[in-house]
Amino acid sequence: MQYVGQTICTIAKRMSSHKSSIRKSTGCKVLSEHFSQVHSIEDMSITPIELLDKSLSLKDREEIEEGWMRRLNTIYPYGLNVRAKTCNIMDAVTAVETSKTVIYSKFERLTITRHKRGGARQHQPNTFDAEQFIANILDCDNPTLRSFRTKITQLNTESIKLVYLASIDKLKNTRDFRTIQLLRVIKDLCLFRCKSVWDKSRQSKCDQFLVVRFVNKYIEDLSLSKIMKEPSISTLCPLRGNSSMPTISYNYMPPIRSKILNYRQTHQMNLNPTDMMCQCHNSPFKDSQHQHVYVVTGNLDIIENIELRSLLKKGLNYRDQAPPNKHKALKAVTDALNRYINKKSNKASLPVIMFAEWKDAVLTSVKNKLDGFPAYEYNAVLQKPSIIDELTALQDKFVFVPNGQLHPNIWPSYQEKHT
């Protein structure tokens, strides 16, 4: 049975304080009862797991402490810690008694690798005795969390519900501290399994995506997936199992569509046709196949500027090239990491500070790569003043609408008023 704590005192002084509290039955009640009813003070041992910087605040130290509680499964009844503020657990004993909080759901997810085909669930008889099932678990010489979890996982949902109800009944008639703790473990695991079934349909499939804004070509050249897979970086991620490796996804910049099409703006202008001078009948692009003589065409030759015409031939979903900017690329990666960390921190109940070392390692690798990138050639057509003036003049005269093909149709602005 484990307990996680942090201190700025010496180890000897901290241990002395714990032993004194146990002898006087003060401080943590669960800790005192465990080392007075199940074990003795002489059975206590300590193992340092992390040396923290002295400059860390109390809040940061407590977040790291509670991160280790979740990693080592030491929150009561699985361990001897009864408080975890970041999990909103102020008293784990009360939380598990009232079933308001599923303690096991606060721990890091365990990834199970199967080495043979078929499921792990075993065949169950038609008549299931929940009380006998609990008795068999409690009679084990050395009951462990793994053995409890394995046996309960093998049950079907209806049997798990029966075990849950049977554990509640047994708790009413039990006074032994160790038995109470084990029954609460069974109860909490059963509640976790049932809740997992209830919430399965609501599980998000997007938790693994680290979405980076594609601000320029540097984002693609970084190969973030390879950076994440580097052993020196992946081992620093506090997540474990399949959730430790994010899937890189990109949020692309808007295409040229919104800058070219102007039919909505034209419709909102409420133009008066009588105030317009129509020269369509003199245009070689007029629609001569119908009764009217207005320009209704998908022929991009009507655009005299060769560069603008070439751009529109690439289609409305084409994205204009962005200039090389290493600062924007670094900021896009940083923002993506912050969003991902906040999302996974809430999902895995891990403090944000536990991701700090992993985040710093990723950004250091990104900065080193960006420093080595040369400036690439680009041609941002719609950012050129001459092209902007040409497009504005065309939009004043024509209405650009999509035709479902690669390039837009071009209509005169007053055509809407004639139809």
Side-chain angles (χ1 to χ4, degrees):
M1 193 63 64
Q2 294 178 313
Y3 172 89
V4 173
Q6 58 83 22
T7 181
I8 57 174
C9 304
T10 62
I11 296 296
K13 187 174 181 179
R14 182 61 171 161
M15 286 292 288
S16 176
S17 175
H18 274 308
K19 290 178 180 179
S20 176
S21 297
I22 292 169
R23 292 191 186 98
K24 297 176 182 179
S25 296
T26 59
C28 178
K29 184 179 178 181
V30 170
L31 197 63
S32 300
E33 291 183 349
H34 179 79
F35 284 104
S36 60
Q37 298 184 30
V38 182
H39 293 284
S40 65
I41 293 177
E42 286 69 26
D43 296 322
M44 292 179 66
S45 64
I46 186 167
T47 303
I49 52 179
E50 185 174 357
L51 181 62
L52 303 180
D53 195 313
K54 292 182 179 180
S55 62
L56 287 177
S57 65
L58 175 61
K59 181 181 178 182
D60 289 340
R61 294 201 311 271
E62 287 179 343
E63 286 186 351
I64 294 173
E65 175 191 26
E66 292 179 14
W68 279 107
M69 290 180 196
R70 290 188 289 274
R71 180 174 294 183
L72 299 177
N73 303 344
T74 66
I75 302 176
Y76 185 86
Y78 304 92
L80 300 176
N81 291 101
V82 295
R83 180 176 297 182
K85 294 180 182 178
T86 56
C87 298
N88 295 321
I89 299 175
M90 304 310 294
D91 184 358
V93 177
T94 303
V96 75
E97 279 180 352
T98 58
S99 299
K100 288 184 177 180
T101 303
V102 182
I103 305 297
Y104 190 75
S105 66
K106 306 301 180 182
F107 299 148
E108 288 189 5
R109 292 296 176 92
L110 180 69
T111 302
I112 300 175
T113 303
R114 301 199 186 282
H115 300 286
K116 60 181 180 179
R117 296 181 63 182
R121 187 167 294 161
Q122 298 179 355
H123 174 72
Q124 291 177 230
N126 295 330
T127 56
F128 176 75
D129 190 338
E131 292 190 2
Q132 185 60 47
F133 176 83
I134 293 175
N136 292 339
I137 293 181
L138 297 179
D139 287 342
C140 293
D141 294 334
N142 186 25
T144 62
L145 173 58
R146 178 169 183 157
S147 64
F148 279 37
R149 185 180 59 236
T150 301
K151 291 182 181 298
I152 291 174
T153 302
Q154 292 173 350
L155 301 177
N156 59 38
T157 305
E158 292 303 318
S159 297
I160 291 174
K161 291 178 182 179
L162 293 174
V163 173
Y164 174 76
L165 296 174
S167 65
I168 294 176
D169 289 338
K170 281 187 171 293
L171 281 168
K172 295 177 182 178
N173 304 316
T174 305
R175 296 292 177 265
D176 179 67
F177 175 83
R178 179 61 172 166
T179 305
I180 289 174
Q181 188 170 9
L182 294 177
L183 285 171
R184 284 173 175 169
V185 169
I186 295 172
K187 175 188 173 185
D188 191 68
L189 283 173
C190 289
L191 191 59
F192 172 77
R193 289 295 300 171
C194 290
K195 192 174 184 298
S196 298
V197 173
W198 299 333
D199 295 343
K200 196 170 185 180
S201 60
R202 296 183 296 173
Q203 287 180 355
S204 173
K205 297 181 179 180
C206 302
D207 290 338
Q208 286 302 104
F209 287 100
L210 191 153
V211 184
V212 186
R213 189 164 176 77
F214 200 98
V215 292
N216 54 48
K217 190 174 178 294
Y218 285 143
I219 297 296
E220 181 182 9
D221 295 339
L222 282 171
S223 298
L224 288 172
S225 295
K226 291 183 179 179
I227 292 177
M228 299 293 179
K229 293 177 182 178
E230 293 177 7
S232 60
I233 292 176
S234 60
T235 53
L236 297 176
C237 184
L239 300 172
R240 293 292 178 268
N242 295 332
S243 62
S244 63
M245 190 64 64
T247 301
I248 306 301
S249 178
Y250 299 117
N251 180 11
Y252 290 97
M253 304 296 286
I256 63 173
R257 172 183 292 269
S258 60
K259 294 182 179 180
I260 301 298
L261 302 182
N262 65 333
Y263 59 93
R264 286 196 181 98
Q265 298 91 318
T266 305
H267 180 70
Q268 295 171 359
M269 291 172 65
N270 294 322
L271 299 175
N272 187 352
T274 59
D275 296 336
M276 302 179 189
M277 297 297 294
C278 177
Q279 302 295 331
C280 290
H281 61 281
N282 294 325
S283 174
F285 299 98
K286 65 183 180 181
D287 187 1
S288 58
Q289 297 180 359
H290 298 83
Q291 294 181 355
H292 61 77
V293 290
Y294 304 115
V295 174
V296 181
T297 181
N299 188 348
L300 292 178
D301 290 337
I302 196 172
I303 300 174
E304 296 179 359
N305 188 291
I306 297 176
E307 198 170 12
L308 180 58
R309 188 195 312 154
S310 299
L311 178 69
L312 293 184
K313 284 183 178 180
K314 294 178 180 178
L316 293 172
N317 291 328
Y318 177 78
R319 292 177 174 83
D320 209 6
Q321 297 177 1
N325 189 316
K326 295 180 180 180
H327 175 73
K328 281 188 175 181
L330 179 61
K331 185 178 185 303
V333 176
T334 304
D335 292 343
L337 284 171
N338 289 335
R339 290 192 297 269
Y340 178 79
I341 289 171
N342 288 331
K343 178 174 63 177
K344 299 301 286 188
S345 173
N346 294 330
K347 184 75 175 179
S349 298
L350 289 173
V352 171
I353 194 172
M354 291 195 72
F355 292 84
E357 194 174 1
W358 173 72
K359 174 186 170 183
D360 291 342
V362 173
L363 290 179
T364 299
S365 182
V366 168
K367 290 176 185 176
N368 292 337
K369 274 198 167 186
L370 286 173
D371 290 340
F373 287 160
Y376 57 83
E377 295 183 0
Y378 73 100
N379 183 24
V381 178
L382 291 181
Q383 294 183 19
K384 297 179 179 180
S386 60
I387 300 297
I388 294 175
D389 293 341
E390 178 77 14
L391 180 60
T392 302
L394 285 168
Q395 289 174 335
D396 288 341
K397 189 177 181 180
F398 297 103
V399 179
F400 288 75
V401 298
N403 68 349
Q405 300 178 11
L406 292 178
H407 50 72
N409 269 331
I410 304 174
W411 287 23
S413 59
Y414 44 81
Q415 180 63 39
E416 267 191 352
K417 290 299 180 181
H418 289 298
T419 57

